[in-house]
Each structure stands twice: as C-alpha cells, then as structure tokens.
Amino acid sequence: MDYELSPAEAAWRDEVRGFIRRNVDPGLASETRLKGNEGRGPLALRFHRALRDAGWWGIAWPKEYGGLGKSAVEQWIFIDEIESAGAPMLPLTVTSVAPTIMRVGDEQQKREWLPRINEGGIDFALGYSEPEAGTDMASIRTHAVLDGDEWVVNGQKMWNTMAHSATHNWLAVRTEPDAPRHKGLSMMIVPMDAPGVTVQPIWVWPGLRTNALFLDNVRVPRSNLIGDRGAGFYYAAMALNFERLAIGSVGMGRRMFRNLVRLVRERVVDGRPLKDEPWVRERIARLAADLEAGRMLGLETAWAIDQGRMPAAESSMAKVFVSELVQRIADAGCEILGLDGQLHPEEPTALVEGRMQWLYRLAPMLAFGGGTNEVQRDIIGFLGYGLPRK
Ligand SMILES: Cc1cc2nc3c(=O)[nH]c(=O)nc-3n(C[C@H](O)[C@H](O)[C@H](O)COP(=O)(O)OP(=O)(O)OC[C@H]3O[C@@H](n4cnc5c(N)ncnc54)[C@H](O)[C@@H]3O)c2cc1C
C-alpha cells in the first residue's frame, strides 16, 4: 500500500483541520483536560453538536443511513486529527455500536436506532464485562428471559463506563441457557431509565469514573434484541474490533510528544539545556520513529477495511503497538520533566499542562481497553499466522 495520502485524502485532512481551527479553542481543550470522562462538559457537547450540524457524526456510515459515506482511511484521518488537536473524540456509540447494528440488525432495527444515533439522541454505555467475565466473555451470567413481548433482564455488569451519562446500554446477555457457552449470548439495547436499572460509581486511578450496573427484573421490548438470538458473542467481537481501530490511532500520542519536544527545546535544568542531554535526545528520537511506525500500522488497518477485509490481526497489532507506545511516551515524559511534571493540570506551574503525569496514569487503561494486549497478541498469532488458539 501507499503510505502517503492521496490528493483527495490530503484535501479531506485539510478540511478537518479547518473545522478544528474554527471549533476547538483553549476553553474546550482545557475542559476536556480537566473533566476527563466525568459526564460531558458544555463545550464538548457544543463541539459534538457542531460535528452533527456539519453532517460529520457518521463519517464512515453509508449515506443511506445519514452518514458521509467516507472511506475507513478518511475516518482514520479524521480520528487522528481530532486526537492530535485534543478535541473530544467521537463516542463509541458512533464508531463501534452503530457500525455493528448496520451490519447485523434487521431493517426495522436499523430504521429505529440509526437515525436517533445520528441525531445525537442516543449514547451507549458498553455492557460486556461482569465480575466473573472479562476476557472470557463466554462466562457472562446476566440473563434475559422472554415474557410475552418483553425480555426480563437480571444480573450485574462491571466497568460499565459512561453508564451514568448514557441514555442506553449495549448489553451482552445470556438468552440461550442450554446452548454452548459462546452460542448462548445475545446483544440487547436497554434504556438506562428503565425501572430496575441501578448505577454505582467506581473511581479509578487516572481520576476517571466507571460504574457497576445492576439489573433487577428490567423489562425490555422484544425487538431490542439486535440481530439473531445466540449470536451476541460474535456481534460483541465485531463491535470490539471497531473499538480497537479507534484505540490504535497515534493522534493523542503525537500531541503529547509534540508538547514534550517543545519543552525539551526550551527548558534548562541545573544550568544545562535539556536539548543537549544525550539521553533525552535518544529517547525523543526513538519515540519519533515509533510514532511514525504507529501511524503506518493504523493507516494500513484502515486501508485493509477499504479493500473489503476485516483486518482483525492488523487492528490488534495497531492497538498493541500504539497503546504500549503511549506508555513509553508517558514514561519518557515523566523522566524528562522530573518532579515538576507531576503537578496537577490545575496547578499553574505544572509543566506540559500537567498532562504527562495524567498520561502516565491513563496509559495502562489503553493496554486492556477493547481487550487486553496479551489476548491481542494471541489474536495476532492465530488469525495472522495460523498459530494454535489459546
Ligand atoms: C477503567 C476501566 C474501564 C472499563 N470500561 C469498560 C466498559 O465500558 N465496558 C466493558 O464491558 N468493560 C470495560 N472494562 C473492562 C475491561 O475491558 C476488562 O477489564 C478487560 O477486558 C479484562 O478483563 P478482566 O478485568 O476480567 O481481566 P481478566 O480477563 O481476568 O484478565 C486478567 C489477566 O489475565 C490475562 N488473560 C486472561 N485470559 C487470557 C488468555 N486467554 N491468554 C492470555 N492472557 C489472558 C489478561 O490479559 C489479563 O492480563 C473496563 C475496565 C476498566 C478497569
């Protein structure tokens, strides 16, 4: 493949950059920095509204569903530019759940859910994990039983991030108790305001909020089971594949790296300019080369989708490489900045806006979000190279 952008792709990138210039100001960047994922700040919501107004919500969605019909490479360019600018990301509702509904939902389900997602009226939390089911999703115990025209759902989900602000849950539930474990699951849409849904906060290390979710005799219309009964394991795998494509973008890493290099150029420690330190220069050079490799992996994965393939091994490679690269950027940043780099973003003397210590605490999350890197390596082995599945 050609790693240079075509003239049309470069023109799209410039259009995205123009949009960012018009719609991302220091106030929005600062709100995103300080709020993390705790709710959505007013400026982030305004930015998302501007995206919808421009018709840019479903960038890679087909036009028949109200999307822009852009290619996977063009979506990758968009995500990369948005992340690089520090703007709020497109939600996984748009980049992971909607593309799955498009592929597996029946016509009525597509008509019911896709326009509402496109208008911004629906925001999903992702309900795969449970206390006893993480990597091993086939162990899911939350179950749904049909009662007339409704499913009655009972169980508990863990790490249900965004459940406190979401309108709906994209929930993996057991509907076929007698089938083999991974053929007994279905994907169901559960409104968060349904009686019997309870959300409990869990605060994690980088100051982010996730949740435990309890479902007690929650009644859901029969038609909210998306696609086929018993196919939920495969639908969740598809949605996770789309999720990994977003995690495998180097945009955020490049932004952090840019800020780090700016600081290295200017800062003098104990009378010695950082830029003259051989160990600092060596770390910077290594990260620069890795960022370029990460960019190529992401681009190649998107390009494979445009060729009509579902590049599971490639998207896992990009996800593993980029998530571990972000950890290396944070490691290097914290070492180079020293103690001053550990101050909170609200502290006026914090270096690089207090982001390096935040990145250091956030980065491990990227290594297990969307499926742990150990398991991604397994996927690369068996899907990419025919090695035995573990
Ligand atoms: C902050 C946070 C936010 C999250 N948000 C969400 C969310 O919104 N929705 C959601 O559904 N989940 C979410 N998760 C859950 C996350 O996806 C899981 O934690 C992850 O999938 C791992 O599952 P586990 O924690 O049960 O660990 P386990 O599956 O028990 O794994 C423990 C360790 O064993 C390794 N391991 C397990 N099986 C294998 C294997 N076959 N081969 C090699 N190594 C293996 C893993 O790689 C890992 O290192 C979140 C988790 C956290 C902490």
Side-chain angles (χ1 to χ4, degrees):
M1 71 164 283
D2 186 354
Y3 291 99
E4 287 302 319
L5 301 186
S6 70
E9 288 161 354
W12 165 243
R13 180 202 56 203
D14 294 343
E15 204 180 331
V16 174
R17 285 184 180 169
F19 180 89
I20 289 170
R21 268 196 304 278
R22 289 190 301 281
N23 290 284
V24 179
D25 55 23
L28 172 58
S30 148
E31 180 190 278
T32 311
R33 215 167 38 242
L34 294 176
K35 276 192 175 291
N37 77 343
E38 171 43 19
R40 300 259 164 84
L43 299 179
L45 292 177
R46 196 182 67 192
F47 178 77
H48 279 163
R49 203 173 316 117
L51 280 178
R52 283 198 296 278
D53 291 346
W56 286 14
W57 204 229
I59 281 184
W61 295 18
K63 288 187 176 156
E64 57 180 305
Y65 300 130
L68 216 57
K70 293 279 185 194
S71 67
V73 166
E74 287 165 322
Q75 175 172 261
W76 176 85
I77 290 169
F78 175 83
I79 292 176
D80 195 57
E81 291 295 328
I82 289 274
E83 279 200 4
S84 179
M89 284 300 299
L90 283 177
L92 288 168
T93 299
V94 175
T95 53
S96 170
V97 180
T100 306
I101 296 176
M102 252 172 240
R103 282 163 178 78
V104 307
D106 63 30
E107 280 313 309
Q108 194 216 325
Q109 290 171 336
K110 291 185 211 174
R111 270 200 310 276
E112 176 172 2
W113 296 104
L114 296 174
R116 291 168 69 193
I117 295 174
N118 204 17
E119 285 156 15
I122 306 267
D123 199 15
F124 287 108
L126 308 180
Y128 309 117
S129 303
E130 296 187 358
E132 300 302 329
T135 301
D136 184 15
M137 209 169 60
S139 297
I140 281 176
R141 290 186 188 162
T142 297
H143 56 278
V145 178
L146 206 50
D147 178 23
D149 255 356
E150 289 179 324
W151 292 100
V152 182
V153 189
N154 279 286
Q156 183 192 343
K157 291 287 168 182
M158 195 60 181
W159 314 118
N160 199 215
T161 312
M162 307 308 290
H164 56 294
S165 59
T167 58
H168 292 76
N169 231 296
W170 170 247
L171 206 72
V173 293
R174 187 163 300 283
T175 52
E176 322 301 318
D178 300 327
R181 287 191 325 148
H182 63 288
K183 294 199 166 150
L185 303 180
S186 300
M187 289 310 303
M188 199 169 277
I189 295 181
V190 176
M192 291 303 293
D193 59 2
V197 174
T198 312
V199 177
Q200 259 181 26
I202 302 173
W203 292 95
V204 290
W205 198 31
L208 298 181
R209 175 176 176 173
T210 178
N211 305 283
L213 178 83
F214 300 90
L215 302 126
D216 181 14
N217 285 319
V218 178
R219 300 188 83 85
V220 177
R222 183 181 192 148
S223 59
N224 280 26
L225 187 150
I226 300 298
D228 294 333
R229 278 178 72 160
F233 186 87
Y234 307 100
Y235 298 168
M238 183 185 288
L240 282 165
N241 232 332
F242 287 122
E243 184 174 336
R244 285 197 276 277
L245 286 176
I247 297 176
S249 152
V250 286
M252 179 175 71
R254 203 169 54 244
R255 171 162 45 96
M256 295 295 178
F257 176 74
R258 241 182 5 234
N259 291 341
L260 184 61
V261 172
R262 198 171 301 134
L263 184 105
V264 164
R265 283 206 189 100
E266 293 163 0
R267 192 164 161 78
V268 177
V269 177
D270 295 335
R272 291 167 62 99
L274 275 180
K275 63 177 186 266
D276 290 340
E277 293 288 350
W279 71 272
V280 172
R281 297 160 64 104
E282 194 255 6
R283 298 292 284 273
I284 295 289
R286 276 178 191 268
L287 293 176
D290 284 352
L291 278 165
E292 192 53 24
R295 188 186 85 86
M296 289 178 177
L297 277 173
L299 197 51
E300 199 172 321
T301 308
W303 177 81
I305 293 174
D306 288 338
Q307 306 308 303
R309 292 198 288 121
M310 191 65 198
E314 289 93 332
S315 73
S316 293
M317 283 184 208
K319 191 260 171 177
V320 167
F321 188 81
V322 171
S323 60
E324 293 179 359
L325 170 57
V326 170
Q327 292 190 22
R328 290 198 292 281
I329 294 173
D331 273 351
C334 286
E335 263 188 71
I336 292 171
L337 265 55
L339 286 177
D340 291 343
Q342 295 183 18
L343 297 173
H344 190 267
E346 277 173 289
E347 177 60 51
T349 56
L351 295 178
V352 201
E353 299 170 319
R355 289 304 262 174
M356 216 40 94
Q357 53 83 22
W358 169 84
L359 189 68
Y360 185 87
R361 293 181 293 134
L362 175 86
M365 244 177 78
L366 303 177
F368 59 76
T372 69
N373 280 3
E374 290 85 351
V375 173
Q376 301 316 306
R377 289 190 158 91
D378 206 29
I379 291 175
I380 295 166
F382 74 78
L383 286 183
Y385 296 94
L387 299 179
R389 186 189 289 241
K390 280 283 159 202

